[in-house]
Amino acid sequence: MQKDQVLPELAVLRETFQQGITKELKWRQSQLLALDTFLVERERDIADAVHDDFRKSAVETFLTETGYLRGEIRFALKHLKSWTKSQRVSVPLIYQPAKGYYSPAPYGVVLIIGAWNYPLNLCLAPLISALAAGNCAVIKPSEHAPHTSSIIAEGLVHYLDRRAVCVIEGGVEVAKGLLEERFDYIFYTGSYAIGREVMSAAARHLTPLTLELGGKCPCIVDQNSDIRVAARRIVWAKFLNAGQTCLAPDYVLVHETREAELLRSMQEAITDFYGDDPRLSPDYPRIVNDQHFRRLETLLNDFAPWSGGETDIEERYIAPTILRGVTPTSEVMQSEIFGPLLPVIAYKALEEALDIIQSVKEPLAIYLFSSDSDVQERVVRHSRSGGVCINDLLFHAALYTLPFGGIGSSGFGAYHGKAGFETFSFKQSVLKRALYPDPALRYPPYSSRKISFLRRLVLGWGTGQLFLY
Ligand code: NAD
């Protein structure tokens, strides 16, 4: 038998939602402001926690975690009133006098399960959308970033309304336990394999959900591109967070005529950014745990790296590494790398590059460096990916105005900005009719005269004729 609301915290949240507290615009605004205060007042503690989890620099934490989240809050506060507005709809004459409209309504109590690689962002960005939409929320941060998890749990209670938001820390068993409960919406960020488990758990309660998963994001470098700029941007996006980014370029497909130049420029960029020994750079993070370190080391063992390749288990350090001689059938091409190894594959014709991309499961993003607008058009048209970013990487996910999410094996649903608000809302339709007139036409007994009249009414539907009766 399925359980329902065994967690005491959940009962409190459900009660709060039922009282309608979270639906008030003022309440939503106050919670968003309180979350912003948390990010401002605890910025240093957050940076320290993320650093303790995988030695990420404070600047990177500001750019990808606190700074990003504060912008998301500001954007939501600016637009919230207009997002919550009802939409009037036209009502056919036969239903008059009446008024029809629909409004975005919160689901209720939602569950947010975050992943470790951006441990604050992946919990709090969905939380911003959930609160803006008027929901209560349970947050389950990743156990693989324990310092950040604990600052989320310890910090948020001092800022947010405890009747509406709670943080539950723990690992796989805790996550599974939470999924036994009935939530009104589930927002999951993590791997494809666990995403499937989450979806089947959600199905038990018929709970709608969003899955933000990963995938192998390709980056095409066409012959018509500025190789130096492309190289710098690729290196920055790949080795940010030591490659542990769902949107990182997983592999590069370069036109054969530019391969040597690209490899050289990428090596120069690595040295420019991280020095001769990236191990000493304060800006180069470590692999999150031993399990991921070993997985990446095994992938590395299959190749003589073109550059990089140094590892140190003590520190869980893997140097920024470029791999050459990789083919679509190589082991490293069979699943998401999620670490600082960058295979480079040369192609002769764009079709060949597009075929390679299509032979892999749907990625979260496709990147293209090309100044040829025909090539840009062809890549966008042939893509089946959550997003496309041309002449840059990652930034399409930094815009609050663009929905961010996957397709197929990289997930479904989207968030950021208005898309997040819409994800955590459903469209509630309302029709207000007058009690009079109350003609007998719709009530039995249905005489043949009534039926023929009703048929004329119904068949006129959608053709505009209904308005003429
Ligand atoms: P993870 O191990 O931190 O797991 C994610 C969450 O799932 C954690 O909170 C964990 O406790 C929970 N979990 C673990 N087992 C579970 C189970 N059986 N049932 C329910 N929940 C369970 O992270 P991960 O899965 O290693 O994340 C890495 C993956 O996430 C990569 O594939 C990456 O591309 C993807 N990712 C996607 C996005 C995105 O926005 N699309 C962002 C970040 C990461």
Side-chain angles (χ1 to χ4, degrees), residues 175-342:
K176 283 183 170 171
L178 280 168
L179 288 170
E180 290 284 312
E181 309 281 345
R182 184 178 67 78
F183 285 91
D184 300 305
Y185 199 92
I186 295 173
F187 192 100
Y188 175 78
T189 304
S191 64
Y192 172 81
I194 296 173
R196 285 164 50 114
E197 285 187 41
V198 172
M199 190 159 171
S200 71
R204 287 202 291 272
H205 297 291
L206 271 188
T207 303
L209 79 164
T210 291
L211 294 180
E212 293 282 344
L213 311 177
K216 287 183 86 63
C217 302
C219 177
I220 304 175
V221 181
D222 179 49
Q223 64 264 52
N224 299 306
S225 49
D226 182 325
I227 295 293
R228 188 177 167 274
V229 176
R232 289 173 72 81
R233 292 185 178 187
I234 293 168
V235 164
W236 174 78
K238 176 68 185 186
F239 301 113
L240 180 86
N241 213 21
Q244 302 165 111
T245 302
C246 56
L247 278 169
D250 190 274
Y251 59 102
V252 170
L253 296 161
V254 57
H255 192 270
E256 58 177 4
T257 56
R258 312 297 299 269
E259 184 190 11
E261 195 184 345
L262 181 73
L263 287 166
R264 214 173 37 247
S265 300
M266 289 202 297
Q267 183 50 54
E268 277 166 22
I270 292 171
T271 312
D272 273 3
F273 299 169
Y274 304 112
D276 289 329
D277 185 359
R279 186 195 314 246
L280 305 177
S281 164
D283 298 320
Y284 189 69
R286 299 299 185 252
I287 303 306
V288 70
N289 57 32
D290 288 352
Q291 188 202 333
H292 277 284
F293 180 89
R294 294 223 162 78
R295 177 184 62 79
L296 290 161
E297 224 183 18
T298 309
L299 288 177
L300 196 51
N301 287 341
D302 289 348
F303 292 91
W306 185 82
S307 80
E310 301 80 15
T311 64
D312 179 355
I313 178 74
E314 291 297 310
E315 280 194 39
R316 292 196 304 272
Y317 166 79
I318 299 184
T321 299
I322 298 175
L323 302 174
R324 225 184 138 210
V326 174
T327 69
T329 55
S330 304
E331 190 55 33
V332 75
M333 289 297 288
Q334 303 317 306
S335 55
E336 183 185 9
I337 296 172
F338 216 55
L341 316 180
L342 182 62

Side-chain angles (χ1 to χ4, degrees), residues 423-443:
T423 284
F424 284 100
S425 312
F426 68 95
K427 291 188 175 81
Q428 187 175 46
S429 298
V430 177
L431 178 68
K432 270 195 212 173
R433 294 200 66 202
L435 279 171
Y436 308 104
D438 187 34
L441 186 64
R442 74 195 226 176
Y443 302 118

Side-chain angles (χ1 to χ4, degrees), residues 33-183:
L33 286 168
L35 195 53
D36 190 56
T37 309
F38 163 69
L39 295 171
V40 174
E41 291 184 353
R42 303 297 299 273
E43 185 177 348
R44 172 67 69 86
D45 299 336
I46 292 168
D48 288 347
V50 178
H51 185 271
D52 289 346
D53 282 330
F54 39 107
R55 250 204 61 173
K56 194 154 131 170
S57 74
V59 177
E60 212 175 296
T61 298
F62 173 76
L63 289 176
T64 59
E65 308 260 15
T66 40
Y68 174 83
L69 290 166
R70 294 196 61 207
E72 177 91 40
I73 291 173
R74 264 204 295 279
F75 190 79
L77 283 169
K78 186 167 171 207
H79 298 283
L80 191 53
K81 214 166 166 188
S82 72
W83 293 345
T84 53
K85 278 203 176 112
S86 304
Q87 296 289 320
R88 278 288 288 269
V89 297
S90 62
V91 179
L93 206 56
I94 51 158
Y95 299 126
Q96 297 289 359
K99 182 181 162 192
Y101 62 91
Y102 61 89
S103 321
Y107 277 97
V109 180
V110 305
L111 172 64
I112 296 167
I113 302 181
W116 55 265
N117 59 330
Y118 289 92
L120 190 79
N121 188 326
L122 299 175
C123 287
L124 299 196
L127 178 66
I128 292 165
S129 302
L131 293 174
N135 296 279
C136 295
V138 173
I139 303 161
K140 212 301 275 166
S142 175
E143 69 278 20
H144 298 304
H147 298 91
T148 315
S149 171
S150 108
I151 203 163
I152 294 173
E154 167 270 309
L156 287 190
V157 287
H158 298 299
Y159 294 85
L160 298 183
D161 187 339
R162 290 182 205 202
R163 298 167 302 172
V165 178
C166 86
V167 181
I168 297 184
E169 290 188 272
V172 178
E173 289 315 313
V174 169
K176 283 183 170 171
L178 280 168
L179 288 170
E180 290 284 312
E181 309 281 345
R182 184 178 67 78
F183 285 91

Side-chain angles (χ1 to χ4, degrees), residues 440-451:
L441 186 64
R442 74 195 226 176
Y443 302 118
Y446 297 115
S447 64
S448 55
R449 210 164 145 254
K450 263 193 191 176
I451 291 169

